[in-house]
Structures are given as structure tokens and as C-alpha cells.
Amino acid sequence: MPPPSASGPSVGEAETPAGEAETPAETPADPAEASAPRPAEAVRGRSQGRLGSRKGLLFGCSALVAVLLVSVVVAIGLGPAVVTPGETARHLWAALSGGRVGADEVTTYQIIWQIRTPRVLLAALVGAGLSAVGVAIQAMVRNALADPFVLGVSSGASVGAVGVTVTGGLAALGLYAVSAGAFVGALVASLLVYAASSSKGSLSPLRLVLTGVAMSLGFQAVMSLIIYFAPDSEATSMVLYWTMGSFGAAAWGALPVVSLVVLAGLVLLYRYGRALDVLSLGDETAASLGFDPDRYRKVLLVLVSLVTGVMVAVSGAIAFVGLVMPHVVRMVVGATHARVLAVAPLVGAIFMVWVDLAARTLVAPRELPLGVITALVGVPVFIALMRRRGYTFGAR
């Protein structure tokens, strides 16, 4: 389903550059049109942000891309066996260009290319996906506390992973059995949430959130019950660790599917930026503008559920990234979702790369669950944001 046409009410149009005076809007002929709030003006009125101009946004995105590339190279080189950034870049170039590696460098090359590179790239993809999905869900349900797991997708994926681990199901898939079970569980959870929250074709934000929370608690109870009766304590420990988030099982074989789904999801969400702007204004305002919020909310629910399910299947449940990153980005670039969705994935990718680096190096040779670190960082940051004077959803 395509996003709202450019011929309709335009949301996220080019704002007036900084320093230029805005010209008064033309008075519409229809009094009803004059009384109806214009989405672009409503969103613009909340906050322009520090990167409000197009040049500023382009410069900021370029800087973030550079920081992300540097972060990836540094993270690949750091670990129990430290490799300098220059050597790391040389080995990466040899792998990409088919260059030769000396016999004395084979071990280092394998560590960099076979072990660390897919893990760091997966961390960047998941961080970008969680941030973008968090932006979409918060606008879709108009709830500042919403994140990618508020719809029960994370808990459903956890039940699928636990079931596969304890029962030995999907054994034919080998190392990918747990991920496949998590993905199936995420899809089942999404279908159940949609079926339970839909009423006469309507999908209200409040009903969607409440149903997602209730389903999430129910799936957590099922997961706890399975773990309680699990005969293998080792399997139980592995499942508990996985549900707190980890990239320990990252491999090149998992990257193509995750990359395709996450990158496609980012593109589609960006195209729906105008729809998210209108949804964030409320259903009554959207309806007054000739916009069908239920129709776009259903499409977005399918999209965010698919992207979230794929990410949870390969990384487990990672909290606070999809909750905090959208708020941080909105305070810098403003509330227009086209701008937020251009910056949030880059910020989330950088953040997750460094979180994963901390998880595997702080208490080496042991590894910390990712959810522990994101919570330790996310909780104080989120509290600071909420205590910021004058802070509201999507504003400074």
C-alpha cells in the first residue's frame, strides 16, 4: 500500500530554512479547511530541532555514517586478541577484494573476518532496525512509552525459542533451529495481537497497546512454565541468556536474510514518514484530513512485526533501544518523521555496535547479556529525558 499521495495534505514538506522569515499561509476558501489543523504546521510547531535545515540534516547523516564506519572497524579489531584499526582495515580489504594473506596472519584474518565482522555487522543492523521500528510504533500507537516489544512480539519469539530448545524441535535446521523457532513465535504473537485487538475492522491505538501488553504477559508466563519443567538445566541457562539479548551466534549465513528484511523495512518506513506524521496527530485529526488511520495502522503493524520478528530471532530480546533512541533523535532533528527516520537508524546502529563491544570485553572471557547494558544505559537516559523541563512527546 503506497504512502499518502503528495497531492493530499503534505506532511514533512520542506521547512523554511533557518534565518528566513515564513510567509503567511494563504487563506483557504473553505471555512472548514481553515479550521482544520494542517499536519505539516502541527508537526513543525512542535520542534524544528538543531538539524532542522536540509543541509544540516545531510551534514549530520554524513557525519553519523563516518562515525558508524569508524565504530565498525574499531569494534572488529577489539577483543581478547586486539588488532589495530589499520591492520583490521587491511584484512577487511583483503577479504573483500580477494587479496592474499600471509601464512602467519591466517589466525588473525579468521578472527576478524569469520568471527567478529558478521557479529559487528549484525549488531549494526539490529540497532538500526530497533530504532526505526521504535519510531514507527510510538507514532502508530501515539504512546511515548511504546517500543518494538510492546506488541508482544518479543515475548512470542522467546516462547518459540524456548520451545525449540527444550523440546528439540526443528532439529533439521541445525544451528538455526532456535532462530527459526523465535521467528515463528514472533509471527504467531503478531497474528494473535491483531486478531484480539481488531474490532469491526477498527484498530485503535489504545486497544492495540493494551492487547499487546496482555499478550506479552501471557507469553512470559508460558515461557516461565516451559523453563520450570525443563529437564535440562544447561538448556534453561542458555535460553535465559538468549532472552536477554546476544550476538554470540552471529554468522555470515544469518546476515543475508536479516539485511534484506531490515534494510527493506527501513526504506518502507521512511516512505511512510508522512503517514506517521498524521497518525501522531490523532485519529480525529487524521479523519478530518481525509486520512484512514486504521488502514495505515494495519499495514504498519504487519511491517514492524515482520522486522521485529527477524531481529529478535537472531539477537534475542534487547530492551530500551527502540524506546530511548527515538526520543533522543527527536530532540535533535525535530518531530517530522522523515527526518527522524533518516537519523535514528544510524544512531541506533552506532549505539548497538558499542554496546556489543562492551558486552564481550568488559568481563572477558565471559560475555554480558546485551539487555543488561542497554537497560543500564537506557534507564538513566530515559529518566533524564522525562525530567527535562518542557519535554513532551516529539518536542524539546
Side-chain angles (χ1 to χ4, degrees):
M1 180 181 301
S5 171
S7 62
S10 177
V11 180
E13 296 177 346
E15 285 86 350
T16 303
E20 296 183 10
E22 296 188 14
T23 58
E26 296 182 0
T27 304
D30 187 356
E33 183 181 353
S35 61
R38 297 177 61 188
E41 293 176 354
V43 174
R44 185 185 303 124
R46 296 191 211 172
S47 173
Q48 279 283 6
R50 298 177 182 176
L51 298 180
S53 67
R54 289 189 176 184
K55 290 184 179 180
L57 182 65
L58 180 61
F59 174 79
C61 289
S62 301
L64 288 174
V65 170
V67 172
L68 177 59
L69 293 177
V70 172
S71 300
V72 167
V73 173
V74 172
I76 291 174
L78 295 180
V82 179
V83 184
T84 63
E87 288 295 306
T88 301
R90 185 171 64 84
H91 284 297
L92 292 175
W93 177 250
L96 294 173
S97 62
R100 300 183 61 180
V101 178
D104 58 334
E105 298 177 320
V106 172
T107 301
T108 303
Y109 173 82
Q110 291 178 341
I111 292 175
I112 290 176
W113 183 249
Q114 298 295 337
I115 299 176
R116 294 182 184 172
T117 300
R119 175 168 182 153
V120 174
L121 293 180
L122 185 62
L125 285 170
V126 171
L130 289 175
S131 299
V133 172
V135 172
I137 291 182
Q138 288 176 3
M140 185 174 67
V141 301
R142 300 190 67 238
N143 191 322
L145 297 178
D147 68 359
F149 306 124
V150 73
L151 302 181
V153 178
S154 175
S155 299
S158 299
V159 170
V162 169
V164 168
T165 303
V166 173
T167 63
L170 303 179
L173 298 178
L175 296 175
Y176 303 101
V178 175
S179 296
F183 181 65
V184 172
L187 291 182
V188 171
S190 301
L191 292 175
L192 290 176
V193 170
Y194 174 79
S197 58
S198 179
S199 175
K200 298 180 181 179
S202 177
L203 198 65
S204 70
L206 180 59
R207 188 183 298 115
L208 190 62
V209 171
L210 294 178
T211 303
V213 171
M215 289 291 183
S216 179
L217 294 175
F219 283 126
Q220 289 178 13
V222 173
M223 182 182 66
S224 300
L225 191 63
I226 295 176
I227 293 177
Y228 181 80
F229 287 105
D232 189 354
S233 59
E234 182 178 352
T236 301
S237 300
M238 189 274 288
V239 167
L240 289 175
Y241 181 83
W242 181 87
T243 54
M244 290 186 287
S246 173
F247 296 118
W252 282 111
L255 279 176
V257 175
V258 179
S259 301
L260 178 62
V261 173
V262 172
L263 294 179
L266 294 179
V267 173
L268 291 174
L269 287 176
Y270 182 82
R271 290 190 61 194
Y272 278 97
R274 293 181 176 181
L276 293 172
D277 282 335
V278 179
L279 286 174
S280 66
L281 299 177
D283 288 5
E284 293 183 359
T285 302
S288 69
L289 297 167
F291 184 85
D292 186 357
D294 287 332
R295 182 175 63 178
Y296 285 98
R297 193 171 286 121
K298 292 174 184 177
V299 175
L300 290 168
L301 174 62
V302 174
L303 178 59
V304 300
S305 298
L306 177 61
V307 176
T308 303
V310 170
M311 292 187 295
V312 173
V314 296
S315 65
I318 305 175
F320 282 98
V321 179
L323 173 63
V324 176
M325 290 299 115
H327 291 291
V328 174
V329 173
R330 284 193 193 97
M331 295 181 67
V332 178
V333 304
T336 305
H337 284 86
R339 299 178 183 277
V340 178
L341 287 170
V343 176
L346 295 173
V347 176
I350 295 170
F351 175 72
M352 188 54 64
V353 166
W354 287 100
V355 166
D356 178 60
L357 177 62
R360 57 187 171 87
T361 58
L362 287 180
V363 292
R366 301 184 64 183
E367 184 176 323
L368 290 172
L370 298 174
V372 172
I373 300 178
T374 56
L376 291 176
V377 175
V379 169
V381 170
F382 190 73
I383 292 176
L385 289 176
M386 293 300 99
R387 291 182 61 86
R388 184 184 177 94
R389 185 175 181 180
Y391 180 84
T392 58
F393 176 65
R396 291 189 297 162

